[in-house]
Amino acid sequence: DCDESCIQATGFVKVPYKVATTVSLPAVPEDLRPCQQQRGASALKNKLAPHEQKHVAAFRTFDGSPLLPINYKGCESGYDSYLEGLAETEFERRKGIADAKRAKLDPYVVDVDLCCKDAAPKK
């Protein structure tokens, strides 16, 4: 039913998927006392940062270069749209997997005990 050339194509197309993920942690508030700043910095480094790296790992499950099977028969003008549809479907599948893994990580709460006393100044 094509007005122009009709084609049939089978095979595979390799489509690379890659996500760039960066993590920026908040700063410890400057208006805290030194012992509170130390506890806040420790919580960021030892609790929040490792948790955020789990998010990075979850997003990286999106990465890859799968071979998508081609089985097309139709108008030559529709072939590019067919390939784009294959790539988009795989994109959504990979995104769904990564998003589900990421969602399992939250909500996440870091409790920081700020009830502390600074060391007495040395004389």
Side-chain angles (χ1 to χ4, degrees):
D1 297 336
C2 300
D3 290 338
E4 77 275 358
S5 299
C6 188
I7 64 169
Q8 181 172 354
T10 58
F12 295 91
V13 60
K14 186 175 183 179
V15 181
Y17 297 89
K18 183 148 180 79
V19 64
T21 306
T22 58
V23 174
S24 298
L25 297 177
V28 176
E30 293 179 14
D31 60 343
L32 298 177
R33 294 189 328 270
C35 70
Q36 293 173 323
Q37 287 182 349
Q38 185 178 16
R39 286 185 178 191
S42 176
L44 288 172
K45 179 181 177 184
N46 299 314
K47 294 180 181 178
L48 185 59
H51 172 77
E52 292 304 315
Q53 288 309 308
K54 290 178 183 177
H55 280 281
V56 171
F59 281 121
R60 284 193 182 135
T61 63
F62 176 82
D63 294 355
S65 296
L67 292 175
L68 305 178
I70 298 170
N71 189 9
Y72 180 79
K73 184 175 184 180
C75 299
E76 185 176 6
S77 62
Y79 185 64
D80 286 345
S81 293
Y82 169 80
L83 292 177
E84 289 171 7
L86 287 177
E88 182 66 27
T89 298
E90 178 64 8
F91 173 90
E92 292 299 330
R93 186 188 77 77
R94 297 176 87 81
K95 181 179 179 297
I97 291 169
D99 284 346
K101 288 183 178 191
R102 180 202 50 80
K104 288 181 181 179
L105 297 170
D106 288 322
Y108 182 76
V109 176
V110 176
D111 291 320
V112 181
D113 182 4
L114 296 179
C115 294
C116 58
K117 293 184 181 182
D118 293 318
K122 295 181 181 180
K123 294 184 180 184

